[in-house]
Amino acid sequence: MLSQFRTVAAAAMLTVAAYAAAAQVNEGHPTTYVVQKGDTLWDISARFLKKPWLWPEIWQANPQVQNPHLIYPGDVLSLAYLDRVVAQPGPRQEAPINAIPLSQVEPFLKDLQVVDSFEHLPRVAGLEDNRLRASAGQKAYVLGLDGAQVGQRYAVVRPSVRYALPETTVDLDARGKHVAGAGSLWANYVPTSSRNEALGFELVKVNVGTITALPDGRVEVATLALEDSGREVRAGDRLVPVQAQPYDLQFIPHPPAAQTLGTDLRVLAVTDMFTSGGSRDVIAISAGARDGVDNGTVFSIWRDGSHVSNRHDHPGSSRMDDSLRNGAGRVTLPDEYASHAMVFRTYDKVSYALVMEGSKPTRVGYSLKHPDAQ
């Protein structure tokens, strides 16, 4: 029995030491830190670790805390024996801190979703008084609400973007059809990619309503009383049931699964229709649950190395100086690190991620790699 205990203890010591080595503790880190309201798990781990996404490995080895994934304002953290993070529990009067600030990603948790198709969803056929637009206090008339009940709440949604590769985004009109020659700043940019597939449609929530009347044989539509004064509803908008809590509230950063890195992963879009973003901007990426991505997955984001004209060996070359593809008479430059991002909302083929920190802007078309990539 004593021999078994020694073996287990030695294994535990080696495990903690291996975690500490992999995590690469920052030099000059604070000896102790009192967790403050408004802190994030990522920001605190960056004080101690060179790789903040490895925080759970060290924290998991901490036997003092019942749930090693929950840290509260008032907890006192210190790096102690074998560089293990040790916590002295605080008063537990506040909610636990998260890996990211929920306030910055809440619109993407509550108001957006990505689906494979939307044509089957119930649609708004008309509006009260034959209006072109309707808002709070007015009625929308809906086709296709089979099985609905009076009092049931629905969100009114509108398809806005189709995600795909190699063309990352396609703008959609009010019917969800492709807008020729439109609108998004990145619409004409097509990054190189080994994939050629549709990834899904982004649905934007425009309003919320309650069913007040159902079809009765004479009337073919259900009546939806609109409640939100934000965006206006129009004919052609779609409906989905309101979910009480359709998203996670806690995120634990971790590297991607091995299967995730076996495909060509790209940044599809940056929030607010920009072509590039920085820290705390939201991006859409071309990976989802199908690819083994879950909430908390951390990627590093890289600019693909350019292929420049080799004018030294080919002085008479008329090739353009910078190309997205390799070829004769060109020199391939290395990929360049841009940032790290953490996934907070996952769908089948697309996920939303928050850019956590970086050394340069994150742009549409950039590649995703393991967070330890060099």
Side-chain angles (χ1 to χ4, degrees):
M1 175 67 74
L2 181 59
S3 175
Q4 291 178 345
F5 175 79
R6 287 174 177 171
T7 301
V8 171
M13 297 280 284
L14 288 174
T15 300
V16 174
Y19 284 154
Q24 298 181 11
V25 178
N26 280 328
E27 296 180 3
H29 58 74
T31 304
T32 61
Y33 178 75
V34 180
V35 179
Q36 306 294 318
K37 184 178 181 180
D39 281 341
T40 67
L41 180 60
W42 186 282
D43 293 337
I44 292 178
S45 23
R47 293 173 179 265
F48 293 98
L49 308 177
K50 294 181 180 178
K51 299 176 180 179
W53 54 92
L54 290 182
W55 173 273
E57 275 79 355
I58 287 185
W59 190 246
Q60 189 72 42
N62 183 353
Q64 284 82 11
V65 179
Q66 291 183 351
N67 187 341
H69 290 159
L70 297 181
I71 305 174
Y72 293 79
D75 287 356
V76 181
L77 307 180
S78 65
L79 285 185
Y81 182 59
L82 286 179
D83 282 334
R84 184 178 61 195
V85 177
V86 178
Q88 177 182 343
R92 298 296 195 267
Q93 295 176 350
E94 305 281 352
I97 67 170
N98 213 321
I100 56 176
L102 286 177
S103 60
Q104 294 184 359
V105 301
E106 188 175 26
F108 296 87
L109 294 170
K110 297 174 62 176
D111 299 339
L112 295 177
Q113 59 181 296
V114 178
V115 297
D116 289 336
S117 63
F118 62 88
E119 294 289 352
H120 64 288
L121 296 175
R123 65 178 176 86
V124 176
L127 302 169
E128 183 180 1
D129 296 327
N130 285 338
R131 296 172 181 268
L132 296 179
R133 302 287 188 270
S135 188
Q138 297 165 348
K139 299 175 182 177
Y141 303 113
V142 183
L143 280 172
L145 271 179
D146 300 329
Q149 298 179 354
V150 172
Q152 190 170 355
R153 299 182 75 237
Y154 282 85
V156 182
V157 298
R158 183 176 302 155
S160 60
V161 172
R162 179 178 69 90
Y163 291 123
L165 282 176
E167 187 175 11
T168 55
T169 59
V170 172
D171 291 327
L172 304 178
D173 63 15
R175 301 170 300 162
K177 305 299 183 182
H178 180 202
V179 179
S184 294
L185 295 177
W186 58 76
N188 295 323
Y189 172 63
V190 181
T192 58
S193 176
S194 59
R195 298 167 63 185
N196 184 6
E197 62 175 324
L199 300 175
F201 296 89
E202 184 179 80
L203 301 181
V204 180
K205 188 183 81 173
V206 296
N207 214 301
V208 176
T210 300
I211 299 298
T212 60
L214 298 174
D216 59 6
R218 181 183 65 84
V219 177
E220 302 178 42
V221 296
T223 301
L224 182 76
L226 301 175
E227 304 168 2
D228 197 333
S229 58
R231 304 180 66 177
E232 294 181 318
V233 175
R234 59 193 181 193
D237 287 342
R238 304 285 172 160
L239 271 71
V240 296
V242 170
Q243 301 180 40
Q245 185 175 312
Y247 52 83
D248 289 344
L249 296 176
Q250 287 288 328
F251 307 97
I252 306 302
H254 58 272
Q259 73 179 85
T260 304
L261 301 172
T263 57
D264 185 12
L265 307 179
R266 299 282 173 169
V267 176
L268 295 173
V270 178
T271 185
D272 294 330
M273 301 178 66
F274 292 126
T275 58
S276 63
S279 296
R280 300 302 189 262
D281 279 334
V282 175
I283 58 175
I285 64 173
S286 63
R290 179 194 66 171
D291 309 293
V293 175
D294 59 356
N295 290 340
T297 301
V298 177
F299 293 97
S300 60
I301 302 175
W302 295 70
R303 179 187 186 274
D304 290 352
S306 299
H307 307 284
V308 299
S309 181
N310 184 1
R311 300 192 186 280
H312 181 273
D313 296 334
H314 304 273
S317 174
S318 61
R319 287 180 176 272
M320 61 186 295
D321 185 60
D322 190 354
S323 174
L324 296 174
R325 299 183 182 277
N326 196 9
R330 296 196 181 281
V331 176
T332 300
L333 305 183
D335 296 348
E336 298 175 351
Y337 165 77
S339 61
H340 281 96
M342 194 191 78
V343 172
F344 64 86
R345 183 64 155 147
T346 303
Y347 298 96
D348 187 36
K349 304 172 189 175
V350 174
S351 298
Y352 295 124
L354 186 69
V355 178
M356 304 305 297
E357 43 78 22
S359 59
K360 60 183 64 179
T362 298
R363 297 185 182 276
V364 172
Y366 278 14
S367 297
L368 276 64
K369 302 183 181 183
H370 192 282
D372 290 340
Q374 300 292 327

